Amino acid sequence: MHPVQKHLFDTNFKDLAGSKLEGTIAISEELINMGIMDFLNGLKPGPEFDAPEKPSPAPAAAPDMPDPKKLLALLNIEMLTFRTGKDKVMLNVKASLQD
Amino acid sequence: MYLALMPILPQPLATILENPEAHIGGTDVTLDLNLGRAFLNKVLAARPADTPVEELLLDPEAGNLVNLHLQVQAPVIGNVRRRITLQPGPAVSFPDQPWLQFNITAGFKLLDKPIIKLMQSQIADKLPKGVELTSDHLRLHVPALLTSAGYQKLVPLIKELQLTSEANRLVIRLWVVA
């Protein structure tokens, strides 16, 4: 993992505290469908699935990815609405990271 | 040299770059990104090892002033340390104001020409065109830098890009309209 990414995870994104996002994000149907395919492909077992079983690593050696629940807890979502436009989905969003 | 740093883009991002209007047209969003001091210095510490810059630390202050602690191995004068104070300038907007400018309010004296020359040659060798350093300012030509990174189609979408300093953090404001 890149040291900068590791730092953000290790410090629970404290260094980005107070960051804000506000406005409308438009996403084309093509992009959404691309995202769906990426997601589905991500669910398929990778090549390691058939690899001979390694001795199971201790839980402490698990990849130190942040817990999605903890990440969501950092997020203040004041508004998140969804509407469909012409060939696009429009998200109105007002959100921030806890300061 | 820097071409090696060009990212391999995930497919959705590459698709947006091909035709921003078709894929994100209608977007109007403002991001205020706060970057804490520890984070900024992690980023600076990840620079390539083969530079004569031995120390590079940022210390953002309240009142829109950023201190840059710099230690370089310069010809003739040898190993020197400086604290340079930078004042971020006005917002970048296209097409009228393409430069992200930092005024150097303190730190480089007249005698520091060898350090400035060294930094200029490093910039010329290692960074894409669009970074300019003199004894009184550092400025970045944002369209040129985005273009050299492969993001030229994003240039017209940037309505406002501004950097300001607060105590222990830099704030980047980015307003994008597609």
Side-chain angles (χ1 to χ4, degrees):
Chain A
M1 194 189 294
H2 192 277
V4 173
Q5 193 186 0
K6 184 172 182 335
H7 172 81
L8 283 178
F9 289 175
D10 288 351
T11 56
N12 209 20
F13 294 85
K14 182 169 65 85
D15 278 318
L16 305 182
S19 295
K20 291 187 289 247
L21 182 70
E22 184 173 358
T24 303
I25 300 172
I27 310 169
S28 69
E29 288 173 356
E30 193 184 334
L31 275 182
I32 291 171
N33 288 326
M34 206 176 273
I36 292 173
M37 285 318 290
D38 275 0
F39 177 72
L40 290 178
N41 287 332
L43 293 180
K44 287 184 188 160
E48 74 275 16
F49 190 69
D50 294 326
E53 209 171 306
K54 291 178 211 144
S56 61
D64 39 4
M65 291 295 286
D67 177 354
K69 272 191 202 160
K70 274 193 191 162
L71 286 187
L72 272 177
L74 297 176
L75 210 54
N76 294 319
I77 300 177
E78 278 181 56
M79 180 182 66
L80 183 61
T81 61
F82 169 98
R83 66 190 161 88
T84 47
K86 191 178 175 296
D87 303 329
K88 288 205 184 78
V89 161
M90 316 289 273
L91 291 174
N92 290 321
V93 63
K94 186 172 181 186
S96 60
L97 278 175
Q98 269 171 26
D99 207 348
Chain B
M1 195 48 198
Y2 54 87
L3 285 176
L5 298 174
M6 271 179 67
I8 298 158
L9 296 177
Q11 189 58 37
L13 193 52
T15 305
I16 293 172
L17 283 175
E18 275 165 30
N19 189 346
E21 166 56 30
H23 294 292
I24 57 166
T27 295
D28 182 345
V29 75
T30 305
L31 173 68
D32 287 299
L33 190 59
N34 294 347
L35 302 174
R37 183 168 60 173
F39 171 81
L40 294 165
N41 288 312
K42 282 279 172 194
V43 173
L44 290 179
R47 69 186 179 276
D50 60 335
T51 61
V53 179
E54 287 168 16
E55 187 186 75
L56 194 57
L57 288 173
L58 270 176
D59 179 20
E61 276 184 21
N64 205 29
L65 288 175
V66 190
N67 296 307
L68 179 71
H69 296 266
L70 178 73
Q71 185 178 352
V72 293
Q73 188 68 40
V76 187
I77 51 172
N79 199 324
V80 284
R81 301 180 74 130
R82 288 289 178 275
R83 189 185 78 169
I84 298 153
T85 306
L86 301 162
Q87 185 183 43
V92 170
S93 62
F94 297 102
D96 303 331
Q97 214 298 86
W99 292 98
L100 185 61
Q101 174 144 345
F102 302 86
N103 294 320
I104 298 176
T105 60
F108 280 143
K109 300 169 216 129
L110 203 61
L111 287 174
D112 279 347
K113 273 200 176 141
I115 303 178
I116 293 167
K117 280 229 158 78
L118 174 77
M119 299 296 290
Q120 285 168 337
S121 73
Q122 286 289 307
I123 287 168
D125 289 352
K126 307 227 158 140
L127 297 177
K129 277 202 166 54
V131 181
E132 189 184 283
L133 175 73
T134 69
S135 59
D136 57 33
H137 72 252
L138 168 69
R139 59 180 197 164
L140 312 176
H141 194 274
V142 175
L145 292 172
L146 283 172
T147 299
S148 68
Y151 295 112
Q152 65 272 36
K153 291 237 172 122
L154 297 186
V155 170
L157 312 186
I158 298 178
K159 295 296 157 202
E160 188 184 326
L161 172 66
Q162 185 163 27
L163 201 148
T164 49
S165 177
E166 297 177 358
N168 295 317
R169 70 186 184 193
L170 293 181
V171 180
I172 296 176
R173 160 162 284 218
L174 176 64
W175 175 26
V176 171
V177 177

